[in-house]
Amino acid sequence: MLARRIVPCLDVRDGQVVKGLRFRDHVVMGGIEELALRYRDEGADELVFYDITASPEGRRVDRGWVERVARIIDIPFCVAGGIRSVEDARAVLNAGADKVSINSPALERPGLIDELAGAFGVQCVVVGVDSLKDEDGEWRVRQYTGDPAKTKAPGRRTLDWVREVQDRGAGEIVLNCMGSDGAKSGFDLEQLAAVRAACRVPLVASGGAGTIAHFIEVFRVADVDAALAASVFHSGSVPIPELKSRLRAAGIEVRHE
Amino acid sequence: MIEASLVAGPRLDASRIRLVLLDSGGANLGSVQAAFARLGVEAAVTDDAQRIRAATHVILPGVGAAGPAMARLRANGLDRLIPTLTQPLMGICVGMQLLFEHSAEGDTGCLGLLPGRVERLPESPGLRVPHMGWNRLEAASPEAAAHPLMDGLDGRHAYFVHSFACHGDANALATCAHGAPFTAIAARGHVMGAQCHPERSAATGARLLANFLSL
């Protein structure tokens, strides 16, 4: 039986891992390789590296650290941020990343998803979706969320976008619920369950993890394939070994060595 | 060598191993190379027939689609060379799928070194395709569990990411459940395959690669 995955997300800015509350006020958490190895040793199932400034600044991901991470870790990892073309993705995949994740560039030009799936196969194409509930009660996507000054609301309904990206060839979807991100009050179960119902590819929950109980409920209630978090892992407030043993005790299949 | 002992696998004598990775054009060549480097074994990427024949162990990696990977093997003549090899040969992921007779992905004729056909994984509510993540290797039989390639692997989690696989393969050493069980590890004489990605399967993957090199 396929195990549910625990995925630490490392937001990368200027060659270091950073974290901020609700996407703002970033503080340095440590070096990229140092944190990658720490999480691998603690039993993380996969890592996501998000170059949070590449997309709003129009820069590409630096290949150097991708190559170094690929050499030292033996679990899969995904690189996000600043991938706008098949050539950008090829550089990151050839540097050793297992998957690429696209978010704002997919909203700019949805055909990019088709191109990436055609060139590399759907299994390495992840689409990140930043989503927020509007005043009318509808969930809609956000763009360029790495920089609050540049964040835009292009008006697309989240559920429509989730269906479209799958049809275009997304092999996995990461749903970042911005309303709960950084607040540590739990994943947005209502939104995740709604997206789950519209999603036939693996779905990764992101935004809001604060306690071990939040992980148990997101797998039970929203039936997601993986749960992604950053600060609770960086701070050590949710230790991954303890998280996995509690998930196992709750009857949720997880990997253990 | 140090890492090999850490995963409690066989002791490897790297000086006796001449390992080559066949160039099937996949993006995971570097990751597979790095996985062997962590075991203390250097792996050269090549499509040179003489060098491949002189190797003690041959790996056929693969990421992407079966059609382009097979086209690449035909273009560099490896489709004719591979069936003549006699040393331990292991295909990884799409590289394994190419060892079967046929793949439904792009209706691709493959190498035919393992009897069987590669089909798309069945999709149903709760059963997502691609099959992406960590799943348990289950020995196909007590005899399969005793195969040296399977040493220490039964019941452990390996990392998978694929949409196609072979079902009901007589040469399966380990199967894995995602709907109907599919072949996760296979061996027929010197021809072996792993549908999982050992280079991204932590200690389980290192053990599988070390077991292969000990053959």
Side-chain angles (χ1 to χ4, degrees):
Chain A
M1 188 181 174
L2 190 57
R4 309 282 174 163
R5 285 172 279 153
I6 297 300
V7 184
C9 179
L10 293 80
D11 286 351
V12 172
R13 180 176 193 156
D14 303 326
Q16 289 187 298
V17 178
V18 299
K19 181 59 190 173
L21 182 66
R22 291 180 190 266
F23 288 42
R24 289 172 180 269
D25 306 325
H26 299 109
V27 291
V28 173
M29 305 300 302
I32 297 171
E33 291 142 274
E34 166 202 338
L35 282 166
L37 276 178
R38 193 188 106 190
Y39 288 128
R40 179 257 176 248
D41 291 345
E42 287 177 358
D45 297 307
E46 188 169 329
L47 299 175
V48 173
F49 296 90
Y50 228 106
D51 189 329
I52 56 169
T53 48
S55 227
E57 290 177 9
R59 285 192 292 108
R60 287 183 179 182
V61 174
D62 169 22
R63 275 188 64 140
W65 63 260
V66 180
E67 281 174 2
R68 292 195 296 276
V69 168
R71 275 201 298 273
I72 60 172
I73 66 166
D74 56 7
I75 57 172
F77 72 101
C78 176
V79 172
I83 293 159
R84 282 187 190 73
S85 67
V86 167
E87 287 319 305
D88 290 347
R90 193 187 309 279
V92 169
L93 293 170
N94 283 346
D98 300 281
K99 306 185 223 180
V100 291
S101 182
I102 56 171
N103 187 329
S104 298
L107 288 163
E108 286 167 16
R109 195 167 68 80
L112 177 59
I113 302 167
D114 308 63
E115 291 172 15
L116 294 176
F120 309 113
V122 299
Q123 77 288 338
C124 59
V125 182
V126 181
V127 175
V129 178
D130 291 327
S131 176
L132 193 61
K133 194 179 233 178
D134 285 323
E135 283 179 4
D136 63 357
E138 193 71 64
W139 294 299
R140 290 193 184 84
V141 302
R142 293 294 184 274
Q143 197 172 10
Y144 309 122
T145 55
D147 180 347
K150 292 179 182 166
T151 298
K152 289 206 293 189
R156 282 176 188 270
R157 289 188 347 131
T158 300
L159 292 174
D160 292 343
W161 181 233
V162 162
R163 290 191 188 94
E164 179 176 344
V165 302
Q166 293 174 86
D167 291 343
R168 289 181 176 278
E172 182 168 76
I173 292 172
V174 178
L175 184 73
N176 184 51
C177 304
M178 295 177 69
S180 54
D181 187 61
K184 296 192 173 64
S185 53
F187 292 94
D188 184 342
L189 301 175
E190 183 196 0
Q191 185 174 187
L192 285 160
V195 168
R196 170 81 282 170
C199 182
R200 59 181 188 271
V201 298
L203 176 64
V204 184
S206 165
T211 65
I212 288 176
H214 294 152
F215 287 88
I216 295 173
E217 71 185 5
V218 79
F219 290 123
R220 278 200 178 144
V221 178
D223 188 26
V224 294
D225 297 274
L228 178 149
S231 57
V232 291
F233 298 141
H234 296 332
S235 70
S237 68
V238 174
I240 293 173
E242 189 188 338
L243 169 60
K244 290 189 128 182
S245 62
R246 292 267 303 276
L247 286 167
R248 192 154 57 246
I252 294 163
E253 174 91 357
V254 287
R255 170 180 78 109
H256 53 92
E257 284 290 330
Chain B
M1 295 276 279
I2 295 161
E3 285 83 354
S5 61
L6 275 179
V7 297
R11 293 175 67 89
L12 298 176
D13 182 353
S15 66
R16 290 169 174 273
I17 294 168
R18 288 188 311 282
L19 172 68
V20 296
L21 307 185
L22 303 185
D23 184 3
S24 59
N28 70 335
L29 277 169
S31 301
V32 175
Q33 216 168 8
F36 282 111
R38 289 192 292 268
L39 293 172
V41 174
E42 197 187 325
V45 177
T46 184
D47 55 11
D48 178 72
Q50 207 173 344
R51 226 168 145 194
I52 295 166
R53 285 208 182 85
T56 57
H57 297 78
V58 178
I59 292 279
L60 176 60
V63 159
M70 218 29 235
R72 175 86 168 217
L73 295 187
R74 286 199 194 93
N76 55 23
L78 292 177
D79 64 321
R80 293 186 304 280
L81 177 70
I82 292 168
T84 68
L85 298 176
T86 55
Q87 63 273 63
L89 161 72
M90 184 161 73
I92 294 175
C93 196
V94 171
M96 178 205 202
Q97 295 173 7
L98 299 183
L99 298 174
F100 288 99
E101 293 164 271
H102 181 269
S103 173
E105 188 179 26
D107 190 17
T108 305
C110 298
L111 295 166
L113 300 180
L114 294 174
R117 295 171 76 84
V118 174
E119 307 288 350
R120 194 177 154 81
L121 293 170
E123 197 176 319
S124 64
L127 200 60
R128 287 133 208 164
V129 177
H131 175 230
M132 190 186 284
W134 297 80
N135 207 332
R136 221 179 270 277
L137 302 171
E138 293 171 38
S141 66
E143 297 74 40
H147 193 288
L149 190 62
M150 280 294 291
D151 193 22
L153 296 181
D154 191 14
R156 291 174 73 167
H157 283 99
Y159 184 75
F160 293 84
V161 51
H162 61 118
S163 302
F164 291 78
C166 184
H167 298 83
D169 165 25
N171 297 297
L173 294 181
T175 60
C176 184
H178 189 62
F182 65 84
T183 301
I185 298 176
R188 183 175 187 242
H190 71 287
V191 178
M192 286 157 269
Q195 181 59 66
C196 56
H197 282 276
E199 75 279 15
R200 287 284 177 255
S201 292
T204 304
R207 183 65 184 265
L208 173 60
L209 297 181
N211 287 350
F212 172 71
L213 291 176
S214 73
L215 296 173

